[in-house]
Amino acid sequence: LLYMEYISEKRRKFAELGTNRVNKAINDIRLVGNLSNKANYEYTDEDVRKIMKALRDAVTEAETRFKKSQGKSSDNGFRINP
């Protein structure tokens, strides 16, 4: 039997959704970083602090939820293998 036949549906779905959602989040964070171009945008240090705090808070919240479930995550070039 093939390896894929032994993978549970829950694991397959987690790998698929996790890979897609984390890659989308990484891309969206990079797009937020594009806002740093002062040739195109005007912002204050306070604006930057608010954005960074909101992003850190969201990551901390996700991490807390995984820790409660004993899960872990990774970053850059992200992929979950089934």
Side-chain angles (χ1 to χ4, degrees):
L1 294 172
L2 296 174
Y3 172 72
M4 292 298 288
E5 292 178 33
Y6 295 109
I7 299 170
S8 74
E9 178 63 18
K10 286 183 178 182
R11 177 64 189 168
R12 188 196 63 73
K13 195 65 172 174
F14 177 84
E16 176 186 342
L17 291 175
T19 297
N20 291 340
R21 290 177 185 180
V22 171
N23 280 319
K24 181 179 182 319
I26 290 168
N27 185 60
D28 288 347
I29 290 168
R30 287 183 179 137
L31 291 176
V32 170
N34 290 348
L35 295 171
S36 67
N37 185 339
K38 289 211 174 214
N40 295 322
Y41 307 105
E42 183 177 313
Y43 55 88
T44 66
D45 287 345
E46 180 62 20
D47 295 330
V48 174
R49 281 192 293 275
K50 285 180 180 180
I51 290 169
M52 294 303 116
K53 182 180 182 330
L55 293 172
R56 279 191 299 273
D57 289 350
V59 169
T60 298
E61 180 184 341
E63 188 174 28
T64 298
R65 292 176 69 184
F66 272 100
K67 283 180 181 177
K68 287 180 182 177
S69 299
Q70 301 300 314
K72 294 188 178 187
S73 62
S74 180
D75 68 2
N76 214 358
F78 185 86
R79 177 164 175 81
I80 296 173
N81 294 318

